[in-house]
Amino acid sequence: MKLTRIGGPTVLVDLDGWRLLVDPTFDRAGRHYEFGWGTGSTKTGDPALTVDELGPIDVALVSHDHHADNLDDAGRAMLPSAGAVLTTKSGAGRLAPSLEAARLHGLVPGESVTLPPPRPGLPTLVISATPCRHGPPLTRAIVGDVVGFAVRRQGEERVALWITGDTVPFAALHRTAEELDVDVLLANVGGVRFGITGPLRFTMTGREAVELVGVAAPRVAVFAHYDGWSHFVDGEQGLRDAIDGAEASVHDRARWLTDGVAVEV
């Protein structure tokens, strides 16, 4: 498997020849985006690759469509060129007008879709939605639906790639970490906070992500969505501090992705 960090949550995954794109964001830095209910963020980093440099995409995995730091204008515009688009059930309803129904799959946690190989010699993939909670208890009505993704080769129990999506720690997330046999874990971190919501957090901090790695015990853990936007409070330094202070069983699993460079894991 090769992973290329593009910026924010956006990661290009090459899995056995399949080209998967996580949460497409390709707008340039400098713009402020409103997320609703008085929250918002400014994009502070450019993508490491442009859409034109990306190449063909077999599957776009959109954890949620309604926050621009996970699907911005340029990312939304490239979705029709992807072979398949997987997102939340509610998000599929919003994206449906611009995408062919046969290529759009809306999932709730626990649901799966089986994708036949787009080219000869590639395995069939089974992709399942995993639970997320994008904020404190009782905020789902405000922050909306979010999912993660567990990607398996058909016929294998082991999860080749688990993408947490934007989430805080909660019981269903930790149950998922305990139940899945994970090869590569891609965790979204950053410790998102907003001035209007005070101390409330909307994604994992570095410390919380390290704790999740300890529970899931993947072969390799990599991280995304901790920089490039103004709403990250814990950010890269919080993640580095947490990894540096982690016990060896967790510290040795962690790998840093290099912007714009395919890293084999």
Side-chain angles (χ1 to χ4, degrees):
M1 186 187 308
K2 292 181 180 179
L3 304 175
T4 307
R5 185 175 183 266
I6 294 173
T10 310
V11 178
L12 176 64
V13 181
D14 186 325
L15 173 61
D16 297 340
W18 280 86
R19 304 187 83 246
L20 315 176
L21 184 66
V22 182
D23 283 343
T25 56
F26 292 93
D27 288 356
R28 304 286 292 182
R31 180 174 165 190
H32 184 80
Y33 301 80
E34 297 295 335
F35 296 156
W37 298 88
T39 65
S41 185
T42 299
K43 190 169 188 179
T44 60
D46 287 329
L49 298 174
T50 67
V51 171
D52 291 339
E53 294 169 327
L54 190 62
I57 297 300
D58 298 314
V59 185
L61 301 171
V62 182
S63 65
H64 56 302
D65 69 303
H66 52 282
H67 293 157
D69 60 321
N70 291 82
L71 183 67
D72 60 16
D73 289 347
R76 191 178 298 268
M78 62 80 54
L79 288 182
S81 67
V85 177
L86 277 62
T87 190
T88 62
K89 186 78 73 176
S90 58
R94 289 185 290 267
L95 293 174
S98 61
L99 296 173
E100 296 176 10
R103 297 191 293 111
L104 178 61
H105 305 272
L107 304 174
V108 298
E111 288 187 333
S112 301
V113 62
T114 299
L115 299 177
R119 293 174 293 282
L122 275 60
T124 295
L125 294 185
V126 179
I127 303 180
S128 306
T130 61
C132 290
R133 198 182 76 201
H134 197 2
L138 307 179
T139 58
R140 185 178 299 277
I142 297 173
V143 299
D145 296 329
V146 184
V147 293
F149 299 98
V151 183
R152 295 179 175 88
R153 303 172 183 89
Q154 189 177 52
E156 295 185 4
E157 286 298 316
R158 186 167 177 79
V159 172
L161 176 65
W162 178 29
I163 303 158
T164 66
D166 281 10
T167 186
V168 296
F170 70 119
L173 182 72
H174 279 267
R175 280 198 303 272
T176 302
E178 292 170 349
E179 293 168 358
L180 296 182
D181 179 13
V182 180
D183 185 32
V184 177
L185 167 61
L186 173 58
N188 282 3
V189 288
V192 166
R193 285 169 58 184
F194 302 98
I196 196 170
T197 54
L200 300 180
R201 284 199 301 271
F202 295 85
T203 62
M204 289 186 287
T205 63
R207 178 183 57 79
E208 291 165 339
V210 161
E211 291 174 356
L212 187 69
V213 172
V215 175
R219 178 180 61 84
V220 174
V222 294
F223 308 93
H225 214 18
Y226 53 80
D227 64 358
W229 290 82
S230 63
H231 61 335
F232 294 122
V233 175
D234 192 57
E236 179 176 347
Q237 192 57 54
L239 177 59
R240 288 190 178 274
D241 290 345
I243 292 173
D244 288 345
E247 58 187 46
S249 62
V250 172
H251 180 278
D252 294 346
R253 300 176 194 273
R255 291 280 303 276
W256 287 93
L257 301 181
T258 302
D259 290 356
V261 177
V263 176
E264 190 158 359
V265 297

